[in-house]
Amino acid sequence: MEGGDLELGNLWGFANALQLTVTILLGLIILRACRTWHLQGSRSIPSKGSFGWPIIGETVGVISCNSSYPFDSWLADHTKRFGTMFKSHLFMKPSIILMKPDELKYFFDDPDKGLDSGAPWALKQIFGAKSVLAMNGNEHTKMHKLLADSLMIPELRKKLPEMDRLMLQSISKWGGNTVEVLDALQDMLLKFMTLNFFGIPWEDKLGAQIVSLLFPALLGITSIPVYFPGTTFYKAVQARRQLNALLMPIIGALRSSETTEILKYAKLERFPYQNLLEHEAETDAVRKKKEESGDTAFSISDLKELKYTTQVYHEVLRITNITPGASRTATKDLTFNGYVMPKGWRLLAVLSPLHKDPEHFPEPSKFDPDRFLMPPNPKTYLPFGRGNRTCVGRDITKLLVVSTLYHICSRFTWKIVSEDKGMYYFPVVRLAGKYELAFSPRS
Ligand code: HEM
């Protein structure tokens, strides 16, 4: 080929690429304009907010939140521009974000009976339409009650000795070692859930297999639903399939009790340890009392004595917002605060602005367990939501966290070994780096 032909070919290639780019850009602009017109023109929705880009909306902005630009900053930027209760387009759906106490009350209490679970498509793929998170109406009420009953204090009282045994078995190996604490606690919780929901001891081969599949499956709940090898969603679907194969025979046998939902996991965060070290008198007193009585196992009545540890627990939940919020779908046009929230739109309740409102929690970024010297106010502290979809795991979470902290504090002193690398916010709130503590047995 002659040099001139080559240049001409290059030019044509460039012109084609340019034409294609311009066409795509124009298409995107028109699409965006059409959608905005359609959504804004037809109904009285909150006029404040932004739909972002076509199809993806503002999703990328949310999922790329990290330590230097946390989800709180994304929310703060939006509220500064639009006020509270603004619209957005997230995870393929037009959405309305709610955060003020009256907005959250409307969301959780659903006085107009117009809100469905709003379970994302990814969740239904992984946990099925018959998961409590996806169910609605009477079916949901029944399942919620079954689960809640199996996880409330009277039932937990029976399960506590086994929980305690598991905890001590794991913690007893920590003295003199450096431990990745979050992984160790997560493993403990998954093992306990395997025992609690399926009656399978984690020491069994089957128990160990289930434990190893639960976490990847749970991670998929909030993943981007791209079914391609390597993605979180793909791994979650695969894990769910394997869990199905393992669990179907057992579920068949357990069907009468129907308590076969496995859902969330609780995490201890990095904040409490230093504060607890400074308040060792409390755990010491409880331990001494128990040793004198000859019964060292943790009991429900110990919760009352561990007041400071419980304050720490509340403050961790307030400041970390491990579950950032909740989601619903409007099943009809709803009117609230003068706005129509159209049928089919997603409503997202976010909890962090409430838990970090200086009016209710002065100096909100400061970790200060003494805020909870008095029991938390249910209007301004909602880490487990409220209403008919309130968290069924709240009692077990408190019991697990407070008793684990008690066991750790009464046995060890520790030093933080790993460097603080901040937080990730998607697909779940978690530490960006390892969280290793070096434990020494207490004298
Ligand atoms: C720190 C730990 C936890 C936090 C902050 C948390 C938070 C929440 C929140 C805010 C909701 C309400 C969602 C909504 O209104 O749609 C919820 C629901 C739920 N949680 Fe938790 N949770 C935690 C641990 C657990 C644990 C350990 C379990 C199970 C053992 C669990 C099981 C559930 C279930 C089944 C629901 C759905 C209830 C329903 O839709 O009827 N959670 N959780």
Side-chain angles (χ1 to χ4, degrees):
M1 205 190 282
E2 296 287 309
D5 285 350
L6 198 72
E7 272 171 28
L8 207 63
N10 279 348
L11 265 181
W12 269 114
F14 178 70
N16 279 342
L18 194 70
Q19 194 186 17
L20 191 69
T21 314
V22 171
T23 313
I24 290 174
L25 276 177
L26 265 176
L28 289 177
I29 290 165
I30 292 167
L31 240 166
R32 183 177 180 181
C34 287
R35 202 192 49 212
T36 310
W37 171 82
H38 169 73
L39 293 172
Q40 283 186 327
S42 55
R43 292 176 175 133
S44 152
I45 54 175
S47 49
K48 311 163 294 174
S50 155
F51 284 128
W53 286 95
I55 303 168
I56 54 172
E58 296 195 293
T59 312
V60 175
V62 167
I63 64 178
S64 50
C65 284
N66 56 30
S67 313
S68 45
Y69 187 69
F71 182 54
D72 279 359
S73 305
W74 186 90
L75 284 174
D77 286 348
H78 278 65
T79 30
K80 207 159 138 199
R81 279 160 65 200
F82 311 122
T84 66
M85 209 180 155
F86 59 85
K87 70 179 177 220
S88 178
H89 201 277
L90 294 168
F91 304 100
M92 319 293 281
K93 261 198 177 181
S95 308
I96 296 172
I97 321 281
L98 309 162
M99 59 183 78
K100 284 275 178 205
D102 63 328
E103 298 164 8
L104 296 176
K105 186 172 178 338
Y106 180 83
F107 178 97
F108 286 117
D109 294 354
D110 186 15
D112 297 326
K113 302 275 170 277
L115 297 174
D116 262 6
S117 95
W121 183 82
L123 183 140
K124 287 189 195 151
Q125 296 310 302
I126 297 162
F127 288 94
K130 291 288 171 191
S131 148
V132 68
L133 296 171
M135 284 175 178
N136 290 300
N138 289 341
E139 199 182 23
H140 167 260
T141 311
K142 201 176 132 209
M143 178 57 94
H144 181 97
K145 189 173 177 322
L146 271 170
L147 280 172
D149 287 352
S150 79
L151 287 169
M152 276 176 2
I153 293 289
E155 268 305 302
L156 292 179
R157 207 181 288 278
K158 294 183 214 152
K159 293 169 184 161
L160 188 55
E162 193 54 18
M163 256 169 71
D164 214 46
R165 181 176 83 78
L166 165 62
M167 224 174 266
L168 288 175
Q169 195 187 58
S170 176
I171 289 173
S172 61
K173 298 176 201 137
W174 291 11
N177 288 316
T178 298
V179 179
E180 211 316 345
V181 182
L182 295 184
D183 284 352
L185 294 176
Q186 187 174 290
D187 182 63
M188 212 190 284
L189 181 60
L190 292 177
K191 282 176 174 171
F192 178 70
M193 281 162 70
T194 308
L195 181 77
N196 183 56
F197 291 114
F198 306 110
I200 306 166
W202 59 91
E203 293 99 335
D204 283 10
K205 196 170 160 234
L206 179 61
Q209 272 175 304
I210 293 173
V211 167
S212 69
L213 291 167
L214 274 178
F215 192 59
L218 287 167
L219 267 187
I221 295 181
T222 44
S223 64
I224 300 174
V226 179
Y227 190 69
F228 192 77
T231 61
T232 309
F233 180 66
Y234 182 88
K235 288 183 200 156
V237 173
Q238 296 297 322
R240 163 66 199 220
R241 279 188 192 147
Q242 292 174 48
L243 275 172
N244 257 11
L246 290 174
L247 292 174
M248 269 317 164
I250 304 158
I251 290 176
L254 288 177
R255 206 129 256 182
S256 56
S257 72
E258 288 189 52
T259 52
T260 51
E261 293 288 314
I262 321 152
L263 291 146
K264 286 244 174 95
Y265 64 95
K267 270 199 313 196
L268 287 176
E269 288 297 348
R270 56 194 156 158
F271 305 97
Y273 300 103
Q274 197 53 40
N275 293 64
L276 285 166
L277 268 182
E278 287 157 16
H279 284 78
E280 60 194 20
E282 175 174 283
T283 39
D284 277 353
V286 173
R287 186 183 177 175
K288 204 161 158 238
K289 205 165 139 190
K290 294 175 85 63
E291 277 170 357
E292 279 164 12
S293 76
D295 179 9
T296 51
F298 194 84
S299 75
I300 303 274
S301 57
D302 295 330
L303 282 177
K304 276 193 228 113
E305 314 245 345
L306 292 164
K307 288 199 179 72
Y308 185 77
T309 316
T310 307
Q311 284 169 228
V312 165
Y313 161 76
H314 287 311
E315 181 66 344
V316 171
L317 288 180
R318 180 196 72 80
I319 209 163
T320 57
N321 292 293
I322 296 166
T323 301
S327 145
R328 305 278 188 273
T329 300
T331 55
K332 55 184 179 184
D333 284 358
L334 296 165
T335 310
F336 177 68
N337 273 358
Y339 295 119
V340 173
M341 299 181 285
K343 179 179 174 180
W345 278 44
R346 180 181 283 144
L347 269 64
L348 289 169
V350 286
L351 298 171
S352 172
L354 181 73
H355 293 160
K356 300 214 177 139
D357 183 342
E359 200 185 311
H360 310 302
F361 301 102
E363 292 186 74
S365 318
K366 187 174 157 201
F367 185 78
D368 177 13
D370 284 345
R371 301 176 197 281
F372 293 103
L373 276 169
M374 299 302 283
N377 177 346
K379 285 194 183 125
T380 54
Y381 175 76
L382 288 172
F384 295 104
R386 63 183 238 181
N388 65 345
R389 288 192 176 269
T390 188
C391 178
V392 298
R394 59 198 304 164
D395 283 356
I396 193 174
T397 303
K398 183 173 173 189
L399 190 58
L400 276 170
V401 174
V402 175
S403 63
T404 311
L405 288 176
Y406 162 73
H407 282 311
I408 296 174
C409 296
S410 59
R411 277 168 179 75
F412 306 116
T413 58
W414 55 84
K415 270 200 259 157
I416 300 176
V417 176
S418 39
E419 199 189 318
D420 186 350
K421 298 211 168 128
M423 310 279 288
Y424 285 136
Y425 296 86
F426 193 84
V428 287
V429 180
R430 67 195 191 283
L431 297 181
K434 289 184 168 197
Y435 187 61
E436 289 175 327
L437 301 185
F439 288 95
S440 310
R442 283 180 60 181
S443 48

